[in-house]
Amino acid sequence: MAVKKEVGEGKFSIKKASIYLFLTVGSLVSLFPFYYMFVMATRLNREINAVPPPFTPGKHLVENFQKVTNNIDFFGAMWNSFYVATTITIGTLFLCSLAGYAFAKLEFKGKNVLFVMILVTMMVPPQLGLIPQYYIITTLGWLNDFKALIIPGLINAFGIFWMRQYIKDGVPYEIIEAAKIDGCSNFRIYWNVVVPMILPAFATLGIIVFMHVWNDFLWPLVVLRDPSVHTLQVALRALNDARQMDYGMIMSGTFWATVPLIIVFLLFNRLFIQSLSEGAVKS
């Protein structure tokens, strides 16, 4: 009687060992910059500049972070970043999915032309719109206001494209037609039928948007001049002193600014895998 093998179980082979070795080395190389940033966050300047440089954590993590909080309002800036990033992410998921549903499943005049025009905007570098966008924000009186960050960031061309493609391929027309026969409006079809079926797309786009907004530096630097409304990336810039660079303090601020981002990424990534598995079972 033949013994059934579990999925993934098999004989040892050089090819399989090479793949695992390559993945292990790749993972270590990817994690090393973050590890060394932590090492520098626990060291003093004289230890960082030593030859050879240290590769093990030191004892000055708390001391370096106290220097950060003495120079900038770290927790206030972190809250500003979290508020802006969360608001933009939620708004982007709603508006882009709504637009993606319209482009994927509804018929209206000029749909294809409008969609192509949206795609064309992806080819324009965002830096080219910096001056006209700043003029508009100044005219509206939104300088030093979170509206200058949130309103322009609520919708983007990539989000519309991503949602349109996912809804087009992942939501069958038969379900849409069945909902219309039951008397559902277009918005109710979107909210009650489409949204539960595109959770993986929500998770993926949410990761991309949140990370982009959290790491954004140029636009917040231009429109937020008051330190009380600085986002974290702009506030960390104040740690750079041209006369004396305290690398331990700078790396400490950068390290703690990265930790929440990694936590959010892991949470969204887990949701993405879970939603993708549920979608595969349902289909």
Side-chain angles (χ1 to χ4, degrees), residues 41 44 59-68 70 252:
L44 299 177
K59 301 178 180 179
H60 304 281
L61 180 63
V62 176
E63 179 183 342
N64 286 334
F65 185 66
Q66 286 177 342
K67 294 179 184 177
V68 174
N70 290 336
S252 178

Side-chain angles (χ1 to χ4, degrees), residues 187-198:
F187 184 79
R188 179 150 189 174
I189 294 173
Y190 157 78
W191 189 254
N192 295 108
V193 178
V194 175
V195 169
M197 299 181 69
I198 60 172

Side-chain angles (χ1 to χ4, degrees), residues 199-234:
L199 292 180
F202 273 122
T204 303
L205 184 60
I207 291 173
I208 295 172
V209 173
F210 191 92
M211 292 182 65
H212 171 74
V213 176
W214 184 275
N215 291 321
D216 192 16
F217 172 75
L218 179 59
W219 182 241
L221 177 67
V222 171
V223 297
L224 301 180
R225 300 174 181 176
D226 188 348
S228 64
V229 293
H230 277 174
T231 58
L232 196 53
Q233 305 303 327
V234 177

Side-chain angles (χ1 to χ4, degrees), residues 87-100 103 118 121 133 149-161 163 205 209 212-213:
T87 304
I88 291 179
T89 300
I90 294 174
T92 299
L93 292 179
F94 174 69
L95 295 175
C96 287
S97 61
L98 198 60
F103 281 114
I118 292 175
T121 63
Q133 197 169 349
L149 302 180
I150 295 173
I151 301 301
L154 283 178
I155 195 165
N156 61 74
F158 172 78
I160 296 175
F161 169 75
M163 285 297 181
L205 184 60
V209 173
H212 171 74
V213 176

Side-chain angles (χ1 to χ4, degrees), residues 75-191:
F75 294 106
M78 178 176 285
W79 166 251
N80 292 341
S81 288
F82 183 78
Y83 170 74
V84 171
T86 302
T87 304
I88 291 179
T89 300
I90 294 174
T92 299
L93 292 179
F94 174 69
L95 295 175
C96 287
S97 61
L98 198 60
Y101 166 67
F103 281 114
K105 298 300 180 182
L106 301 183
E107 296 296 332
F108 54 91
K109 188 175 181 180
K111 180 177 77 171
N112 294 330
V113 175
L114 183 59
F115 185 67
V116 170
M117 291 175 62
I118 292 175
L119 294 183
V120 169
T121 63
M122 297 174 62
M123 305 176 189
V124 180
Q127 291 80 5
L128 294 181
L130 197 65
I131 294 177
Q133 197 169 349
Y134 178 80
Y135 176 77
I136 294 173
I137 294 301
T138 305
T139 303
L140 294 173
W142 288 357
L143 287 179
N144 293 322
D145 196 315
F146 290 139
K147 290 196 290 289
L149 302 180
I150 295 173
I151 301 301
L154 283 178
I155 195 165
N156 61 74
F158 172 78
I160 296 175
F161 169 75
W162 170 257
M163 285 297 181
R164 186 256 188 185
Q165 296 303 112
Y166 195 95
I167 294 173
K168 182 179 180 181
D169 297 332
V171 181
Y173 272 103
E174 292 79 7
I175 297 179
I176 303 295
E177 294 300 323
K180 289 181 179 179
I181 293 174
D182 290 338
C184 293
S185 63
N186 283 324
F187 184 79
R188 179 150 189 174
I189 294 173
Y190 157 78
W191 189 254

